[in-house]
Amino acid sequence: DRCEIRKFYMDGKRNLGEAFARTKALEAKQLVETWKPDVIIAADDNVSKFLIMPYYKNAAIPVVFCGLNWTAEPYGYPYRNTTGMIEVGPIEPLLAEVLAVVKNPRRGVFLSADEMTQGKEFAMSRELYKRRGITMTHTAVRTLADWRAGFSAAQENADFIVIGNHAGIKDWDEALARRYVQEHGRRFTVAYLEWMAPYAMLTMAKIADEQGEWSGKVAVLILNGTPPSKIPVVANRRWNMYVNPRLLDKAGYRLSPDILRKAIKVE
């Protein structure tokens, strides 16, 4: 069967203010009310927070959410009309590698854009690392200059760095950021997003397509008559692994032969 799809972007990565998000949610609500879709696929936290929770909680229209970082609890999911996929990062496998590579780590820095989903990522990382005696701090920035300053400060103040998402840094320059980490990176760096692999020594990346593929299949099930409440909420299950030999060699870190064999090499 063929489905007609309309896309609407909340644009919450480039525009971080709550007033902007509420305005965009009203625009999305107007589209829903005029076009009358048979199902809504709500991707990322902003859609759930500003559109689904205030306007479509337990409504007649089915909703499939996806891309919610770590938990759906802030939005009260599940509702009678919803199901979805939670997006979780591989923080435990990354922590295992930090412990294997860095001698007696005690301090870590989470470096990311100053953005809502990154705050959730940091909170989850902080609690897990705390249980292993590691103190995590969050350097949240909005400019490339501040990102570089945070990266440099972490070389002096941390044993390792978790590189979060740069989305939300409006003046991000890929070439400048790559050159900066190559010139200044001495501490072990890990990441959990594929597009951040060039800036980290080891990346275990969520596969974004998994969220979309699952949501599309579930939307078809709903269109064919399955109630959303009968479809369990799940978490993503698939990862890709990347290593950056140039960064590793310059800093003098060594990963296990198993990881080096399995991982995709990036520069």
Side-chain angles (χ1 to χ4, degrees), residues 243-262:
V243 297
N244 193 315
R246 183 175 179 181
L247 295 180
L248 284 164
D249 290 344
K250 184 175 180 181
Y253 290 109
R254 296 291 180 265
L255 298 176
S256 71
D258 185 56
I259 286 182
L260 292 175
R261 185 178 67 255
K262 294 178 180 178

Side-chain angles (χ1 to χ4, degrees), residues 53-127:
M53 184 169 63
Y55 302 117
Y56 296 105
K57 180 177 181 179
N58 296 321
I61 185 168
V63 174
V64 180
F65 62 80
C66 62
L68 299 186
N69 294 76
W70 293 106
T71 177
E73 289 182 5
Y75 317 115
Y77 286 135
Y79 311 148
R80 291 193 301 271
N81 61 321
T82 67
T83 187
M85 174 175 273
I86 307 297
E87 183 175 344
V88 299
I91 57 173
E92 292 194 39
L94 282 174
L95 171 57
E97 291 308 313
V98 168
L99 294 172
V101 172
V102 181
K103 184 178 180 180
N104 194 31
R106 287 293 173 261
R107 298 173 298 173
V109 166
F110 187 99
L111 176 62
S112 76
D114 184 7
E115 188 265 334
M116 178 175 63
T117 57
Q118 292 304 286
K120 291 173 67 178
E121 295 277 4
F122 166 68
M124 295 299 297
S125 298
R126 179 180 57 189
E127 291 307 309

Side-chain angles (χ1 to χ4, degrees), residues 203-231:
T203 301
M204 294 181 180
K206 299 174 281 190
I207 300 174
D209 289 355
E210 181 181 7
Q211 301 275 328
E213 291 169 3
W214 185 90
S215 298
K217 291 176 181 178
V218 167
V220 171
L221 287 176
I222 292 170
L223 291 173
N224 288 331
T226 303
S229 59
K230 298 296 184 181
I231 303 172

